[in-house]
Every structure is written in structure tokens, then in C-alpha cells.
Amino acid sequence: MREQLLERFISYVQIGTQSDPSSESCPSTEGQWVLARQLVEELKELGLSDVTLDDHGYVMATLPANCEQNEPIIGFLAHMDTATELTGTNVNPQIVEQYDGGDIVLNASQQIVLSPKQFPELSGYVGQTLITTDGNTLLGADDKAGIAEIMTAMAYLQAHPEIKHGTIKVAFTPDEEIGRGADRFDVAKFGADFAYTMDGGPLGELQYENFNAATAVVTCYGRSVHPGTAKGKMINSTRIALEFQAVMPALETPEHTEHYEGFYHLNHIEGGVEQTTLHYLIREFDKNKYEERKQFMQQVAKQLQHTYGEQAVRLDITDSYFNMRDQIEGNMDIVNRAHAAMVKLGIEPLVQPIRGGTDGSRLSYMGLPTPNIFAGGENFHGKYEYISLDTMEKAVQVIVEIAKCK
């Protein structure tokens, strides 16, 4: 199992599947089609049935039940795309056997080092096999680790018919990283009673809560006049934008919050005298506080409109996804099934909220309750990303244990 798992993962990460928010196609990039077609062929080789690749790049397949008990139909999902923050093209994974607890040189010529001094979680992986980047790209463990784990689990169940299980559904989705992963997911076609995304981080993560999320775009409009004759005429949109940002709570940002604390995140700014645009992420677990955050931004915009004119500031807020806890709390048997599987395998479950979102958060609102399970990666979305093969192997075992007839 271990060798197959590693081989699959290395194969997947070497296919560039970075999604593109500027593209209107689905999937948003050609590389996702390449991986999707490869997965279809592998699923067929494994002997799964109903293997499909639809016109939007969604891969689905079925592992038929081999027991007579009336078991629920369980789904497992992972996404094929990688994040937009750093390239996922020409990934050159490095394998560190028996990690000794010291610095890992990712790229000697550029002096890029993965060190427990900056990333103390590394100290928990002493003695394990780690897979890292070469310092030039992200790794793609988010979420090609989940894909490799699901595929390896299906192969294991096929090779061990003595393990009795109900009907298992698998799906691989495009464009999760740009918020479109569930846009065209056919829940009825998938046909599962409930599912799990294999899209979490370290060993033991089990999550059924996530942020309520929105994007906010603040557009400030000015009037450009030659600065030598600008008195009483120029309106500088950058100054209006800076006033907007100055009112935002300084400590309610990603770098100052944790656990159940929400935030505003200014993640992009562009413009000049005539027009300046601020791009924000709004995140909050509690639905009432989430609405309060949106209202606060609306109030700030109105204050600036009062000062500079109604046409000077435009605020557009768009909901992205909601806290899946509201949909899963009435189906806690799903969470308990995964919890029990981990305990049986000697894994301590870490039940905690996702400070982000997964396809599962939206799928839960589409009628498919879908909590999230660890896949094993650390430092997602950057050149310091790494994953433990040992943790990946345990994720495969969790999938197998969840699938077993009860």
C-alpha cells in the first residue's frame, strides 16, 4: 500500500493543475482535464463501475457493495486543482526518509530552507518519511494527497474482498481553490447518503464546522487633475481607499486571529487617483456575527459616501459559502462514524473548525452532508508545503475503516 500511495501522489503532483479565477471555463485550466482523464483510466483499471467524466470535468465512480447488510452509501471526495498563490507547474517533489528533526534544504542555490525554527510542527514528524517541494513551487498536497488516498483505499478494498463494505462513491472535483468546486456537482447523480472530503491537514483532523465566507470589493472613484493646479478640484481615490482601510479593525485580521475568531482580510489593492479597488475576504463562524461584519463594511462605505459623495464609493459583497455545521448538526452519526474509525486505528481525533472552506461546506447545503477528514499536508499553498507519507497511509486506513460494514 505504502509504495502505491507514494507512486500515485508523485504522479499527480507532477501534473500542473493550478486553477485560474480569470477563466470562465470549467475546469478553469487544461491541466485539470489531464489529471481527470488519468484518474478515469485508473478507476477503470481498478475495476470500479459507473466511471464518468462529465462535460465540466467532474470525475465520479462507484465501488459496489460486497455485503448483504443495509449499509448507507458513503462518498469520498477530493479536488484536483491547486492554489493560485504559487505555481503548481513543474513540481519536483523531494523525499526525505527518516526525517531527523533538523533543517531541510529545499533549494541550496536560493538558500530556501524548511526549518523547525520557523515551522515548529516539523518536530512532530521525526522518524517519518516527508515529501517536500524543491523551493520553486507549491507541492500540491492540497488536495492531491486526498486523491491519492482515496484511490489507494479503493485499490486496497478491491484487493481485499474479505473486507465487507457497502456501496462507496468517489468523486474528484475541479476548481475548489477558486470557490467553484461544487458549482456543477450533480448530487443526485453521485447518489451518496453522505460523504467526506479528504482535504484536511495534520493527522486526526475531523471537521464539520467552517467559516461563513464572503468577498467584498470596495471601489473608490476620484477625479484626476494636474497636481500643480489641483487645489479644490482633485479627488484622490487612493486617499478615500486608505480612509476605508484605516477604519477596519486592526486586530481582526488573519495574522491576529485563531480558533473561532473571524476576520477581515485585505488581500489585494490596485489603483490610482481616478480609481482604487480594495478586495477583502470576510470570515466568521457565527452567522449573526457574519452578518454584523457585512453591515459594518456597509456603514463605513456610507460614511465615506457622506463625506465625498454617493458616487465616490461602491461596495459589492458576495456570499461565498456558509458554515456546514448548520446542516450537519442534525446528522452527527456521520461525524461519529469517522471519529470511531480513528479511535479504532489508534488515532486521536482532533475535532476542530476549518478556518477556511471545502467543497463539503457547499455540498452540505446542496443536500449532501460532507464533513472533512485529514489528508496530511502542512503549510499549504506555498513553497514550504510538505506532507508525511506516514500520515497519508493512516488516512487510507481511515477511509477503509469508515467503509466497513457495521
Side-chain angles (χ1 to χ4, degrees):
M1 175 198 294
R2 188 178 176 90
E3 292 77 14
Q4 292 180 0
L5 178 60
L6 177 60
E7 182 180 344
R8 284 193 173 92
F9 180 67
I10 297 299
S11 170
Y12 301 153
V13 300
Q14 290 177 326
I15 301 173
T17 60
Q18 186 177 32
S19 48
D20 179 4
S22 68
S23 170
E24 295 182 0
S25 64
C26 181
S28 64
T29 51
E30 179 60 31
Q32 294 181 71
W33 280 115
V34 174
L35 178 55
R37 295 184 187 107
Q38 177 173 321
L39 292 171
V40 164
E41 293 307 311
E42 291 182 16
L43 288 163
K44 290 178 179 178
E45 290 173 5
L46 288 176
L48 271 70
S49 62
D50 303 324
V51 180
T52 62
L53 172 60
D54 70 15
D55 293 340
H56 305 300
Y58 291 80
V59 177
M60 294 185 183
T62 302
L63 180 64
N66 66 355
C67 69
E68 298 180 358
Q69 297 172 225
N70 186 22
E71 290 288 315
I73 300 174
I74 305 173
F76 294 95
L77 301 95
H79 64 87
M80 297 180 289
D81 64 319
T82 58
T84 60
E85 286 86 345
L86 188 65
T87 182
T89 302
N90 298 320
V91 173
N92 181 30
Q94 311 296 303
I95 300 174
V96 180
E97 301 278 3
Q98 295 289 315
Y99 171 57
D100 62 8
D103 290 352
I104 300 173
V105 177
L106 303 180
N107 191 303
S109 63
Q110 299 181 43
Q111 298 182 334
I112 300 173
V113 177
L114 178 63
S115 173
K117 296 175 183 177
Q118 284 75 45
F119 303 102
E121 297 83 4
L122 266 171
S123 299
Y125 291 99
V126 173
Q128 298 187 29
T129 296
L130 302 184
I131 308 165
T132 75
T133 75
D134 67 356
N136 293 310
T137 69
L138 49 68
L139 179 61
D142 180 12
D143 187 27
K144 291 171 183 175
I147 297 174
E149 290 155 4
I150 293 169
M151 293 293 288
T152 303
M154 295 305 103
Y156 187 83
L157 288 170
Q158 285 287 67
H160 294 272
E162 71 277 9
I163 300 175
K164 301 303 177 183
H165 57 82
T167 299
I168 305 299
K169 300 283 187 173
V170 300
F172 305 117
T173 61
D175 292 333
E176 189 266 0
E177 295 290 358
I178 55 175
R180 305 178 194 169
D183 280 5
R184 304 183 187 188
F185 188 92
D186 191 333
V187 172
K189 175 186 174 182
F190 191 52
D193 295 312
F194 56 86
Y196 302 93
T197 47
M198 303 300 298
D199 194 18
L203 178 67
E205 278 192 350
L206 174 57
Q207 300 154 320
Y208 65 96
E209 301 176 81
N210 62 278
F211 280 133
N212 295 292
T215 58
V217 179
V218 182
T219 307
C220 303
Y221 300 96
R223 182 191 301 137
S224 182
V225 179
H226 188 286
T229 58
K231 184 174 181 179
K233 302 173 185 178
M234 177 186 285
I235 299 174
N236 192 331
S237 75
T238 61
R239 294 184 63 83
I240 301 174
L242 289 172
E243 285 188 43
F244 190 102
Q245 171 59 17
V247 179
M248 302 302 291
L251 297 181
E252 295 181 21
T253 63
E255 61 268 37
H256 293 102
T257 53
E258 60 183 351
H259 305 310
Y260 283 93
E261 298 169 333
F263 58 74
Y264 303 96
H265 177 37
L266 175 60
N267 67 342
H268 185 67
I269 181 171
E270 58 190 358
V273 174
E274 282 279 345
Q275 181 175 320
T276 302
T277 305
L278 306 168
H279 298 262
Y280 289 90
L281 302 180
I282 304 171
R283 299 292 187 264
E284 185 60 71
F285 287 97
D286 181 85
K287 192 64 177 290
N288 291 330
K289 291 181 180 179
Y290 173 64
E291 294 299 329
E292 290 172 2
R293 287 191 179 278
K294 293 192 289 184
Q295 291 169 11
F296 175 75
M297 294 193 79
Q298 291 166 351
Q299 291 169 4
V300 175
K302 287 179 180 179
Q303 290 170 4
L304 291 172
Q305 288 170 345
H306 179 75
T307 302
Y308 294 99
E310 188 173 341
Q311 303 303 315
V313 179
R314 174 176 172 175
L315 172 62
D316 296 294
I317 298 178
T318 305
D319 292 319
S320 302
Y321 51 83
F322 300 105
N323 191 342
M324 62 181 164
R325 176 175 181 165
D326 296 338
Q327 302 299 311
I328 293 179
E329 276 189 317
N331 300 278
M332 286 301 290
D333 286 349
I334 303 169
V335 178
N336 294 338
R337 188 181 187 111
H339 191 283
M342 292 185 195
V343 170
K344 187 171 182 179
L345 293 167
I347 301 168
E348 180 180 356
L350 303 176
V351 182
Q352 56 190 18
I354 308 170
R355 289 184 61 81
T358 68
D359 281 340
S361 59
R362 291 188 59 200
L363 291 173
S364 294
Y365 280 86
M366 294 166 63
L368 181 65
T370 310
N372 189 46
I373 292 174
F374 70 91
E378 298 268 15
N379 299 339
F380 290 146
H381 297 191
K383 61 189 174 185
Y384 296 103
E385 184 181 6
Y386 66 94
I387 194 166
S388 162
L389 182 60
D390 301 68
T391 300
M392 291 179 68
E393 193 172 15
K394 291 183 182 298
V396 174
Q397 295 169 1
V398 169
I399 294 171
V400 171
E401 190 62 37
I402 289 173
K404 288 180 180 178
C405 294
K406 304 304 178 186

